[in-house]
Amino acid sequence: AELVDGGWQAKRLHKLIVTSNTWKQSSNHPRHEEYVQRDAGNRLWWRAERRRLDAEALWDALLAASGELALRVGGPSFRPAIAPEALEGLSKKGAAWTESPAEEQRRRGLYIYSQRSLLAPFLTTFDYSDTTLPCAARDVTIVAPQALALLNDSLVHQRSRALANRVVAEASGLDTPGRVRLAWSRALGREPADDELQLSLAHLERQQVNFASRPASSAATSDAAALAFESLCHVLLNSNEFLYVD
């Protein structure tokens, strides 16, 4: 009826949907325990469905948290870095892929160049669209390689380092708990609860001891405190709260 009454204007219907209270709900309903007994399948939409960030949104979120996201609009696409291991087996590994300058790779995921025969493994892990087939709707998977990609991929480690450097630069004069609160705020958009703060401080202390105990020739011993803080930022970027929209 709304579509007909609006003269079959889809934009009007879209506006009605995205400004409705149902659309703006959180998946964390204050009366969850009560309502789940009556409608466990959420058939009546009494809460939002929790969803994982898609590949491009995750790319943007990582860069936004580290303060590196370039918001320039338009222009040619950029080629993200692809690990040499992903190029093994190609007949011309050196010429198969030339990544764009680092500054260009800080643009939004909307501008990522898609080569049908060679897609960035990090993106495909998070259900980047299959460019070899028609795609009316993307698959949404939750699989172990996604956790491993967030834990080990160089992109995430670089963003963790950048986030740590951002916090240190912005937190001039703050003590360690203050820097931890700022890191949580930049990564997750909120400050940690008291127990979360204590766990973060314990992680910093434990990791600083770990890095300081490395062999003297190791680069890890040069600045154990900085590496420990980078480790904390890495944990935050690996959290479910960062990866999922509530």
mmCIF file with all atom_site columns, all heavy atoms in Angstrom, residues 99-119:
data_model
loop_
_atom_site.group_PDB
_atom_site.id
_atom_site.type_symbol
_atom_site.label_atom_id
_atom_site.label_alt_id
_atom_site.label_comp_id
_atom_site.label_asym_id
_atom_site.label_entity_id
_atom_site.label_seq_id
_atom_site.pdbx_PDB_ins_code
_atom_site.Cartn_x
_atom_site.Cartn_y
_atom_site.Cartn_z
_atom_site.occupancy
_atom_site.B_iso_or_equiv
_atom_site.pdbx_formal_charge
_atom_site.auth_seq_id
_atom_site.auth_comp_id
_atom_site.auth_asym_id
_atom_site.auth_atom_id
_atom_site.pdbx_PDB_model_num
ATOM 1   N N   . GLU A 1 99  ? 50.933 -3.632  -7.083  1.00 0.00 ? 99  GLU A N   1
ATOM 2   C CA  . GLU A 1 99  ? 50.112 -2.921  -6.103  1.00 0.00 ? 99  GLU A CA  1
ATOM 3   C C   . GLU A 1 99  ? 50.278 -1.412  -6.226  1.00 0.00 ? 99  GLU A C   1
ATOM 4   O O   . GLU A 1 99  ? 51.315 -0.910  -6.674  1.00 0.00 ? 99  GLU A O   1
ATOM 5   C CB  . GLU A 1 99  ? 50.460 -3.367  -4.689  1.00 0.00 ? 99  GLU A CB  1
ATOM 6   C CG  . GLU A 1 99  ? 51.858 -3.007  -4.237  1.00 0.00 ? 99  GLU A CG  1
ATOM 7   C CD  . GLU A 1 99  ? 52.145 -3.530  -2.844  1.00 0.00 ? 99  GLU A CD  1
ATOM 8   O OE1 . GLU A 1 99  ? 52.271 -4.764  -2.680  1.00 0.00 ? 99  GLU A OE1 1
ATOM 9   O OE2 . GLU A 1 99  ? 52.233 -2.701  -1.919  1.00 0.00 ? 99  GLU A OE2 1
ATOM 10  N N   . SER A 1 100 ? 49.259 -0.691  -5.848  1.00 0.00 ? 100 SER A N   1
ATOM 11  C CA  . SER A 1 100 ? 49.268 0.767   -5.890  1.00 0.00 ? 100 SER A CA  1
ATOM 12  C C   . SER A 1 100 ? 50.106 1.326   -4.754  1.00 0.00 ? 100 SER A C   1
ATOM 13  O O   . SER A 1 100 ? 50.401 0.625   -3.779  1.00 0.00 ? 100 SER A O   1
ATOM 14  C CB  . SER A 1 100 ? 47.843 1.305   -5.788  1.00 0.00 ? 100 SER A CB  1
ATOM 15  O OG  . SER A 1 100 ? 47.051 0.857   -6.863  1.00 0.00 ? 100 SER A OG  1
ATOM 16  N N   . PRO A 1 101 ? 50.520 2.596   -4.852  1.00 0.00 ? 101 PRO A N   1
ATOM 17  C CA  . PRO A 1 101 ? 51.262 3.221   -3.744  1.00 0.00 ? 101 PRO A CA  1
ATOM 18  C C   . PRO A 1 101 ? 50.475 3.143   -2.437  1.00 0.00 ? 101 PRO A C   1
ATOM 19  O O   . PRO A 1 101 ? 49.242 3.082   -2.438  1.00 0.00 ? 101 PRO A O   1
ATOM 20  C CB  . PRO A 1 101 ? 51.425 4.673   -4.209  1.00 0.00 ? 101 PRO A CB  1
ATOM 21  C CG  . PRO A 1 101 ? 51.328 4.610   -5.697  1.00 0.00 ? 101 PRO A CG  1
ATOM 22  C CD  . PRO A 1 101 ? 50.363 3.511   -6.004  1.00 0.00 ? 101 PRO A CD  1
ATOM 23  N N   . ALA A 1 102 ? 51.191 3.171   -1.325  1.00 0.00 ? 102 ALA A N   1
ATOM 24  C CA  . ALA A 1 102 ? 50.563 3.012   -0.006  1.00 0.00 ? 102 ALA A CA  1
ATOM 25  C C   . ALA A 1 102 ? 49.482 4.049   0.237   1.00 0.00 ? 102 ALA A C   1
ATOM 26  O O   . ALA A 1 102 ? 48.442 3.749   0.830   1.00 0.00 ? 102 ALA A O   1
ATOM 27  C CB  . ALA A 1 102 ? 51.634 3.088   1.081   1.00 0.00 ? 102 ALA A CB  1
ATOM 28  N N   . GLU A 1 103 ? 49.714 5.286   -0.235  1.00 0.00 ? 103 GLU A N   1
ATOM 29  C CA  . GLU A 1 103 ? 48.726 6.343   -0.013  1.00 0.00 ? 103 GLU A CA  1
ATOM 30  C C   . GLU A 1 103 ? 47.406 6.013   -0.700  1.00 0.00 ? 103 GLU A C   1
ATOM 31  O O   . GLU A 1 103 ? 46.326 6.277   -0.169  1.00 0.00 ? 103 GLU A O   1
ATOM 32  C CB  . GLU A 1 103 ? 49.252 7.683   -0.539  1.00 0.00 ? 103 GLU A CB  1
ATOM 33  C CG  . GLU A 1 103 ? 50.475 8.220   0.192   1.00 0.00 ? 103 GLU A CG  1
ATOM 34  C CD  . GLU A 1 103 ? 51.746 7.490   -0.195  1.00 0.00 ? 103 GLU A CD  1
ATOM 35  O OE1 . GLU A 1 103 ? 51.724 6.764   -1.220  1.00 0.00 ? 103 GLU A OE1 1
ATOM 36  O OE2 . GLU A 1 103 ? 52.754 7.620   0.525   1.00 0.00 ? 103 GLU A OE2 1
ATOM 37  N N   . GLU A 1 104 ? 47.478 5.414   -1.894  1.00 0.00 ? 104 GLU A N   1
ATOM 38  C CA  . GLU A 1 104 ? 46.269 5.060   -2.624  1.00 0.00 ? 104 GLU A CA  1
ATOM 39  C C   . GLU A 1 104 ? 45.523 3.915   -1.939  1.00 0.00 ? 104 GLU A C   1
ATOM 40  O O   . GLU A 1 104 ? 44.295 3.833   -1.988  1.00 0.00 ? 104 GLU A O   1
ATOM 41  C CB  . GLU A 1 104 ? 46.606 4.671   -4.055  1.00 0.00 ? 104 GLU A CB  1
ATOM 42  C CG  . GLU A 1 104 ? 46.996 5.846   -4.935  1.00 0.00 ? 104 GLU A CG  1
ATOM 43  C CD  . GLU A 1 104 ? 45.840 6.820   -5.119  1.00 0.00 ? 104 GLU A CD  1
ATOM 44  O OE1 . GLU A 1 104 ? 44.732 6.374   -5.433  1.00 0.00 ? 104 GLU A OE1 1
ATOM 45  O OE2 . GLU A 1 104 ? 46.064 8.027   -4.915  1.00 0.00 ? 104 GLU A OE2 1
ATOM 46  N N   . GLN A 1 105 ? 46.267 3.024   -1.280  1.00 0.00 ? 105 GLN A N   1
ATOM 47  C CA  . GLN A 1 105 ? 45.646 1.873   -0.633  1.00 0.00 ? 105 GLN A CA  1
ATOM 48  C C   . GLN A 1 105 ? 44.925 2.245   0.655   1.00 0.00 ? 105 GLN A C   1
ATOM 49  O O   . GLN A 1 105 ? 44.343 1.374   1.310   1.00 0.00 ? 105 GLN A O   1
ATOM 50  C CB  . GLN A 1 105 ? 46.700 0.805   -0.347  1.00 0.00 ? 105 GLN A CB  1
ATOM 51  C CG  . GLN A 1 105 ? 47.295 0.185   -1.590  1.00 0.00 ? 105 GLN A CG  1
ATOM 52  C CD  . GLN A 1 105 ? 48.184 -0.991  -1.274  1.00 0.00 ? 105 GLN A CD  1
ATOM 53  O OE1 . GLN A 1 105 ? 47.820 -1.879  -0.511  1.00 0.00 ? 105 GLN A OE1 1
ATOM 54  N NE2 . GLN A 1 105 ? 49.377 -1.000  -1.857  1.00 0.00 ? 105 GLN A NE2 1
ATOM 55  N N   . ARG A 1 106 ? 44.944 3.516   1.010   1.00 0.00 ? 106 ARG A N   1
ATOM 56  C CA  . ARG A 1 106 ? 44.209 3.965   2.193   1.00 0.00 ? 106 ARG A CA  1
ATOM 57  C C   . ARG A 1 106 ? 42.846 4.539   1.834   1.00 0.00 ? 106 ARG A C   1
ATOM 58  O O   . ARG A 1 106 ? 42.162 5.099   2.674   1.00 0.00 ? 106 ARG A O   1
ATOM 59  C CB  . ARG A 1 106 ? 45.045 4.999   2.955   1.00 0.00 ? 106 ARG A CB  1
ATOM 60  C CG  . ARG A 1 106 ? 46.295 4.387   3.577   1.00 0.00 ? 106 ARG A CG  1
ATOM 61  C CD  . ARG A 1 106 ? 47.247 5.417   4.091   1.00 0.00 ? 106 ARG A CD  1
ATOM 62  N NE  . ARG A 1 106 ? 48.489 4.785   4.563   1.00 0.00 ? 106 ARG A NE  1
ATOM 63  C CZ  . ARG A 1 106 ? 49.631 5.426   4.734   1.00 0.00 ? 106 ARG A CZ  1
ATOM 64  N NH1 . ARG A 1 106 ? 49.697 6.722   4.490   1.00 0.00 ? 106 ARG A NH1 1
ATOM 65  N NH2 . ARG A 1 106 ? 50.700 4.781   5.163   1.00 0.00 ? 106 ARG A NH2 1
ATOM 66  N N   . ARG A 1 107 ? 42.454 4.395   0.584   1.00 0.00 ? 107 ARG A N   1
ATOM 67  C CA  . ARG A 1 107 ? 41.138 4.852   0.162   1.00 0.00 ? 107 ARG A CA  1
ATOM 68  C C   . ARG A 1 107 ? 40.081 3.810   0.539   1.00 0.00 ? 107 ARG A C   1
ATOM 69  O O   . ARG A 1 107 ? 40.385 2.685   0.915   1.00 0.00 ? 107 ARG A O   1
ATOM 70  C CB  . ARG A 1 107 ? 41.121 5.124   -1.336  1.00 0.00 ? 107 ARG A CB  1
ATOM 71  C CG  . ARG A 1 107 ? 42.138 6.166   -1.784  1.00 0.00 ? 107 ARG A CG  1
ATOM 72  C CD  . ARG A 1 107 ? 42.026 6.434   -3.266  1.00 0.00 ? 107 ARG A CD  1
ATOM 73  N NE  . ARG A 1 107 ? 40.761 7.106   -3.561  1.00 0.00 ? 107 ARG A NE  1
ATOM 74  C CZ  . ARG A 1 107 ? 40.205 7.131   -4.771  1.00 0.00 ? 107 ARG A CZ  1
ATOM 75  N NH1 . ARG A 1 107 ? 40.794 6.516   -5.775  1.00 0.00 ? 107 ARG A NH1 1
ATOM 76  N NH2 . ARG A 1 107 ? 39.072 7.769   -4.972  1.00 0.00 ? 107 ARG A NH2 1
ATOM 77  N N   . ARG A 1 108 ? 38.833 4.202   0.421   1.00 0.00 ? 108 ARG A N   1
ATOM 78  C CA  . ARG A 1 108 ? 37.737 3.319   0.787   1.00 0.00 ? 108 ARG A CA  1
ATOM 79  C C   . ARG A 1 108 ? 37.717 2.061   -0.082  1.00 0.00 ? 108 ARG A C   1
ATOM 80  O O   . ARG A 1 108 ? 38.155 2.064   -1.228  1.00 0.00 ? 108 ARG A O   1
ATOM 81  C CB  . ARG A 1 108 ? 36.404 4.062   0.657   1.00 0.00 ? 108 ARG A CB  1
ATOM 82  C CG  . ARG A 1 108 ? 36.214 5.187   1.646   1.00 0.00 ? 108 ARG A CG  1
ATOM 83  C CD  . ARG A 1 108 ? 34.929 5.926   1.379   1.00 0.00 ? 108 ARG A CD  1
ATOM 84  N NE  . ARG A 1 108 ? 33.789 5.022   1.420   1.00 0.00 ? 108 ARG A NE  1
ATOM 85  C CZ  . ARG A 1 108 ? 32.613 5.263   0.843   1.00 0.00 ? 108 ARG A CZ  1
ATOM 86  N NH1 . ARG A 1 108 ? 32.448 6.377   0.148   1.00 0.00 ? 108 ARG A NH1 1
ATOM 87  N NH2 . ARG A 1 108 ? 31.629 4.404   0.930   1.00 0.00 ? 108 ARG A NH2 1
ATOM 88  N N   . GLY A 1 109 ? 37.180 0.982   0.503   1.00 0.00 ? 109 GLY A N   1
ATOM 89  C CA  . GLY A 1 109 ? 37.113 -0.290  -0.193  1.00 0.00 ? 109 GLY A CA  1
ATOM 90  C C   . GLY A 1 109 ? 36.278 -0.240  -1.458  1.00 0.00 ? 109 GLY A C   1
ATOM 91  O O   . GLY A 1 109 ? 36.402 -1.111  -2.332  1.00 0.00 ? 109 GLY A O   1
ATOM 92  N N   . LEU A 1 110 ? 35.436 0.775   -1.567  1.00 0.00 ? 110 LEU A N   1
ATOM 93  C CA  . LEU A 1 110 ? 34.643 0.973   -2.786  1.00 0.00 ? 110 LEU A CA  1
ATOM 94  C C   . LEU A 1 110 ? 35.524 1.075   -4.026  1.00 0.00 ? 110 LEU A C   1
ATOM 95  O O   . LEU A 1 110 ? 35.110 0.705   -5.128  1.00 0.00 ? 110 LEU A O   1
ATOM 96  C CB  . LEU A 1 110 ? 33.807 2.249   -2.625  1.00 0.00 ? 110 LEU A CB  1
ATOM 97  C CG  . LEU A 1 110 ? 33.034 2.764   -3.837  1.00 0.00 ? 110 LEU A CG  1
ATOM 98  C CD1 . LEU A 1 110 ? 31.910 1.805   -4.181  1.00 0.00 ? 110 LEU A CD1 1
ATOM 99  C CD2 . LEU A 1 110 ? 32.480 4.150   -3.555  1.00 0.00 ? 110 LEU A CD2 1
ATOM 100 N N   . TYR A 1 111 ? 36.756 1.565   -3.845  1.00 0.00 ? 111 TYR A N   1
ATOM 101 C CA  . TYR A 1 111 ? 37.645 1.825   -4.985  1.00 0.00 ? 111 TYR A CA  1
ATOM 102 C C   . TYR A 1 111 ? 38.676 0.714   -5.213  1.00 0.00 ? 111 TYR A C   1
ATOM 103 O O   . TYR A 1 111 ? 39.615 0.905   -5.978  1.00 0.00 ? 111 TYR A O   1
ATOM 104 C CB  . TYR A 1 111 ? 38.356 3.163   -4.781  1.00 0.00 ? 111 TYR A CB  1
ATOM 105 C CG  . TYR A 1 111 ? 37.402 4.335   -4.728  1.00 0.00 ? 111 TYR A CG  1
ATOM 106 C CD1 . TYR A 1 111 ? 37.108 4.963   -3.519  1.00 0.00 ? 111 TYR A CD1 1
ATOM 107 C CD2 . TYR A 1 111 ? 36.779 4.805   -5.879  1.00 0.00 ? 111 TYR A CD2 1
ATOM 108 C CE1 . TYR A 1 111 ? 36.225 6.015   -3.457  1.00 0.00 ? 111 TYR A CE1 1
ATOM 109 C CE2 . TYR A 1 111 ? 35.891 5.863   -5.823  1.00 0.00 ? 111 TYR A CE2 1
ATOM 110 C CZ  . TYR A 1 111 ? 35.610 6.464   -4.614  1.00 0.00 ? 111 TYR A CZ  1
ATOM 111 O OH  . TYR A 1 111 ? 34.724 7.509   -4.564  1.00 0.00 ? 111 TYR A OH  1
ATOM 112 N N   . ILE A 1 112 ? 38.501 -0.427  -4.570  1.00 0.00 ? 112 ILE A N   1
ATOM 113 C CA  . ILE A 1 112 ? 39.427 -1.542  -4.786  1.00 0.00 ? 112 ILE A CA  1
ATOM 114 C C   . ILE A 1 112 ? 39.254 -2.095  -6.202  1.00 0.00 ? 112 ILE A C   1
ATOM 115 O O   . ILE A 1 112 ? 38.137 -2.355  -6.658  1.00 0.00 ? 112 ILE A O   1
ATOM 116 C CB  . ILE A 1 112 ? 39.195 -2.657  -3.753  1.00 0.00 ? 112 ILE A CB  1
ATOM 117 C CG1 . ILE A 1 112 ? 39.566 -2.159  -2.350  1.00 0.00 ? 112 ILE A CG1 1
ATOM 118 C CG2 . ILE A 1 112 ? 40.007 -3.898  -4.106  1.00 0.00 ? 112 ILE A CG2 1
ATOM 119 C CD1 . ILE A 1 112 ? 39.263 -3.157  -1.255  1.00 0.00 ? 112 ILE A CD1 1
ATOM 120 N N   . TYR A 1 113 ? 40.356 -2.265  -6.891  1.00 0.00 ? 113 TYR A N   1
ATOM 121 C CA  . TYR A 1 113 ? 40.335 -2.803  -8.252  1.00 0.00 ? 113 TYR A CA  1
ATOM 122 C C   . TYR A 1 113 ? 40.118 -4.312  -8.194  1.00 0.00 ? 113 TYR A C   1
ATOM 123 O O   . TYR A 1 113 ? 40.797 -5.028  -7.443  1.00 0.00 ? 113 TYR A O   1
ATOM 124 C CB  . TYR A 1 113 ? 41.660 -2.492  -8.950  1.00 0.00 ? 113 TYR A CB  1
ATOM 125 C CG  . TYR A 1 113 ? 41.778 -3.055  -10.342 1.00 0.00 ? 113 TYR A CG  1
ATOM 126 C CD1 . TYR A 1 113 ? 41.188 -2.419  -11.428 1.00 0.00 ? 113 TYR A CD1 1
ATOM 127 C CD2 . TYR A 1 113 ? 42.492 -4.229  -10.575 1.00 0.00 ? 113 TYR A CD2 1
ATOM 128 C CE1 . TYR A 1 113 ? 41.299 -2.931  -12.709 1.00 0.00 ? 113 TYR A CE1 1
ATOM 129 C CE2 . TYR A 1 113 ? 42.611 -4.751  -11.853 1.00 0.00 ? 113 TYR A CE2 1
ATOM 130 C CZ  . TYR A 1 113 ? 42.011 -4.101  -12.916 1.00 0.00 ? 113 TYR A CZ  1
ATOM 131 O OH  . TYR A 1 113 ? 42.120 -4.613  -14.176 1.00 0.00 ? 113 TYR A OH  1
ATOM 132 N N   . SER A 1 114 ? 39.161 -4.795  -8.960  1.00 0.00 ? 114 SER A N   1
ATOM 133 C CA  . SER A 1 114 ? 38.859 -6.225  -9.003  1.00 0.00 ? 114 SER A CA  1
ATOM 134 C C   . SER A 1 114 ? 39.308 -6.805  -10.331 1.00 0.00 ? 114 SER A C   1
ATOM 135 O O   . SER A 1 114 ? 38.784 -6.430  -11.386 1.00 0.00 ? 114 SER A O   1
ATOM 136 C CB  . SER A 1 114 ? 37.349 -6.462  -8.820  1.00 0.00 ? 114 SER A CB  1
ATOM 137 O OG  . SER A 1 114 ? 36.928 -6.079  -7.544  1.00 0.00 ? 114 SER A OG  1
ATOM 138 N N   . GLN A 1 115 ? 40.275 -7.687  -10.255 1.00 0.00 ? 115 GLN A N   1
ATOM 139 C CA  . GLN A 1 115 ? 40.729 -8.419  -11.447 1.00 0.00 ? 115 GLN A CA  1
ATOM 140 C C   . GLN A 1 115 ? 40.131 -9.812  -11.379 1.00 0.00 ? 115 GLN A C   1
ATOM 141 O O   . GLN A 1 115 ? 40.381 -10.553 -10.419 1.00 0.00 ? 115 GLN A O   1
ATOM 142 C CB  . GLN A 1 115 ? 42.253 -8.482  -11.484 1.00 0.00 ? 115 GLN A CB  1
ATOM 143 C CG  . GLN A 1 115 ? 42.806 -9.213  -12.702 1.00 0.00 ? 115 GLN A CG  1
ATOM 144 C CD  . GLN A 1 115 ? 44.319 -9.101  -12.789 1.00 0.00 ? 115 GLN A CD  1
ATOM 145 O OE1 . GLN A 1 115 ? 44.874 -8.020  -12.709 1.00 0.00 ? 115 GLN A OE1 1
ATOM 146 N NE2 . GLN A 1 115 ? 44.979 -10.240 -12.930 1.00 0.00 ? 115 GLN A NE2 1
ATOM 147 N N   . ARG A 1 116 ? 39.356 -10.156 -12.345 1.00 0.00 ? 116 ARG A N   1
ATOM 148 C CA  . ARG A 1 116 ? 38.570 -11.384 -12.268 1.00 0.00 ? 116 ARG A CA  1
ATOM 149 C C   . ARG A 1 116 ? 39.419 -12.615 -11.971 1.00 0.00 ? 116 ARG A C   1
ATOM 150 O O   . ARG A 1 116 ? 38.996 -13.503 -11.227 1.00 0.00 ? 116 ARG A O   1
ATOM 151 C CB  . ARG A 1 116 ? 37.790 -11.573 -13.582 1.00 0.00 ? 116 ARG A CB  1
ATOM 152 C CG  . ARG A 1 116 ? 36.837 -12.742 -13.556 1.00 0.00 ? 116 ARG A CG  1
ATOM 153 C CD  . ARG A 1 116 ? 35.895 -12.710 -14.724 1.00 0.00 ? 116 ARG A CD  1
ATOM 154 N NE  . ARG A 1 116 ? 36.598 -12.709 -16.004 1.00 0.00 ? 116 ARG A NE  1
ATOM 155 C CZ  . ARG A 1 116 ? 35.979 -12.660 -17.172 1.00 0.00 ? 116 ARG A CZ  1
ATOM 156 N NH1 . ARG A 1 116 ? 34.668 -12.581 -17.223 1.00 0.00 ? 116 ARG A NH1 1
ATOM 157 N NH2 . ARG A 1 116 ? 36.670 -12.670 -18.298 1.00 0.00 ? 116 ARG A NH2 1
ATOM 158 N N   . SER A 1 117 ? 40.608 -12.664 -12.519 1.00 0.00 ? 117 SER A N   1
ATOM 159 C CA  . SER A 1 117 ? 41.439 -13.851 -12.356 1.00 0.00 ? 117 SER A CA  1
ATOM 160 C C   . SER A 1 117 ? 42.310 -13.810 -11.102 1.00 0.00 ? 117 SER A C   1
ATOM 161 O O   . SER A 1 117 ? 42.981 -14.792 -10.788 1.00 0.00 ? 117 SER A O   1
ATOM 162 C CB  . SER A 1 117 ? 42.343 -14.018 -13.583 1.00 0.00 ? 117 SER A CB  1
ATOM 163 O OG  . SER A 1 117 ? 43.190 -12.882 -13.737 1.00 0.00 ? 117 SER A OG  1
ATOM 164 N N   . LEU A 1 118 ? 42.286 -12.681 -10.360 1.00 0.00 ? 118 LEU A N   1
ATOM 165 C CA  . LEU A 1 118 ? 43.166 -12.572 -9.198  1.00 0.00 ? 118 LEU A CA  1
ATOM 166 C C   . LEU A 1 118 ? 42.566 -11.570 -8.207  1.00 0.00 ? 118 LEU A C   1
ATOM 167 O O   . LEU A 1 118 ? 42.660 -10.367 -8.397  1.00 0.00 ? 118 LEU A O   1
ATOM 168 C CB  . LEU A 1 118 ? 44.569 -12.111 -9.626  1.00 0.00 ? 118 LEU A CB  1
ATOM 169 C CG  . LEU A 1 118 ? 45.616 -11.981 -8.518  1.00 0.00 ? 118 LEU A CG  1
ATOM 170 C CD1 . LEU A 1 118 ? 45.826 -13.339 -7.831  1.00 0.00 ? 118 LEU A CD1 1
ATOM 171 C CD2 . LEU A 1 118 ? 46.937 -11.472 -9.091  1.00 0.00 ? 118 LEU A CD2 1
ATOM 172 N N   . LEU A 1 119 ? 41.961 -12.102 -7.156  1.00 0.00 ? 119 LEU A N   1
ATOM 173 C CA  . LEU A 1 119 ? 41.362 -11.271 -6.111  1.00 0.00 ? 119 LEU A CA  1
ATOM 174 C C   . LEU A 1 119 ? 42.203 -11.357 -4.842  1.00 0.00 ? 119 LEU A C   1
ATOM 175 O O   . LEU A 1 119 ? 42.840 -12.377 -4.569  1.00 0.00 ? 119 LEU A O   1
ATOM 176 C CB  . LEU A 1 119 ? 39.931 -11.730 -5.817  1.00 0.00 ? 119 LEU A CB  1
ATOM 177 C CG  . LEU A 1 119 ? 38.943 -11.633 -6.984  1.00 0.00 ? 119 LEU A CG  1
ATOM 178 C CD1 . LEU A 1 119 ? 37.605 -12.251 -6.585  1.00 0.00 ? 119 LEU A CD1 1
ATOM 179 C CD2 . LEU A 1 119 ? 38.759 -10.183 -7.417  1.00 0.00 ? 119 LEU A CD2 1
#
